[in-house]
Structures are given as structure tokens and as C-alpha cells.
Amino acid sequence: MDIDLINRDPGDINIHVRSLMEDVLAEPEGTHSMDCVWKLSNCCFTCSKGAYYKIATCLCGIPASFYWGCVFGMLTFQHVWCCTPEIKTYLISLGACKKVYTALVRACCDPCCESCGRCFGDMKLTTVGGK
């Protein structure tokens, strides 16, 4: 499987951690530092953020990806071999309960509902007063 080395977040799942300088630091209108300070600050921000990220990923990237691979492997195993069969067991059991519950409700409620329907079924409403 080939990986895209240019677009490393094709699903935009980490758009919330985008951190360009203009997303973090901004000077409001009427309060500006000298241009050279702003440019140098941008350079320092960008370089230090990039250097820290590269060092952190060199030290922690492979162990972190190993850890998360194990976590998602364990989660997949748990769902395939434990959760899904358990849910299927509940659904089968609840199917039988549904049939018993439906029969009880129909035995108790259907006669009352049919009687009310017959009593009120021939009722005709008329308005008096013309408004």
C-alpha cells in the first residue's frame, strides 16, 4: 500500500490542530509592533514549532504508532469476538420477549381500543355559532 507523503491528512481529521502563526498570534488594528519584530516573531514561531514537532516525532512517533496500532487491534478484536456476538445474543433473546410483550399488549389493550373506537366512531361533531 502506497502512502501519500504530500497530503498526510486526506480526511482532514486533524484540522482542529492547525496552528499557523496567524491562527495563534494576532495584533489588533491600531496596535502593531515594528515590522521587523513581527517578521522575526513569525520566523521564530514557525521554526521552533517545526523543530519541536520533528524532534518529538523522531523520539515518540514510532512508539506512539506502535501503541495506537495495538489499541486499535485490541479494539477490533474485542468488537469482532466479544461485542458483536453479545449484541446478537441480546437481539435474539429480545425477539422472543417482543413476541410475548406484543401478545400481552394486544390481549389487554386491543379490546379497550376497539370498544372506544366503536363508541366514538359514529360520533358527528357540528359547530354552532358560525365563527
Side-chain angles (χ1 to χ4, degrees):
M1 176 166 119
D2 292 334
I3 59 172
D4 187 354
L5 294 177
I6 304 299
N7 184 8
R8 296 185 185 188
D9 189 11
D12 290 332
I13 63 172
N14 286 313
I15 195 80
H16 61 285
V17 293
R18 179 185 144 174
S19 57
L20 300 173
M21 183 169 162
E22 56 268 14
D23 298 325
V24 179
L25 298 172
E27 294 180 326
E29 189 64 37
T31 308
H32 288 180
S33 60
M34 294 182 292
D35 290 346
C36 62
V37 171
W38 188 250
K39 288 178 183 178
L40 189 57
S41 296
N42 183 28
C43 182
C44 288
F45 178 88
T46 305
C47 292
S48 62
K49 182 188 82 154
Y52 180 85
Y53 184 77
K54 285 177 178 54
I55 291 169
T57 55
C58 284
L59 296 175
C60 303
I62 293 172
S65 64
F66 177 78
Y67 168 77
W68 285 114
C70 290
V71 167
F72 281 98
M74 196 176 353
L75 184 65
T76 303
F77 173 83
Q78 182 181 9
H79 276 265
V80 168
W81 293 99
C82 301
C83 295
T84 302
E86 190 67 29
I87 290 169
K88 188 66 174 179
T89 302
Y90 287 136
L91 290 175
I92 290 170
S93 299
L94 289 175
C97 293
K98 177 184 173 185
K99 288 181 181 182
V100 171
Y101 179 75
T102 301
L104 289 173
V105 168
R106 288 195 174 178
C108 296
C109 295
D110 280 3
C112 295
C113 292
E114 286 179 21
S115 297
C116 289
R118 289 178 192 216
C119 289
F120 298 118
D122 290 333
M123 195 178 284
K124 294 189 183 358
L125 298 175
T126 57
T127 57
V128 179
K131 280 192 178 181

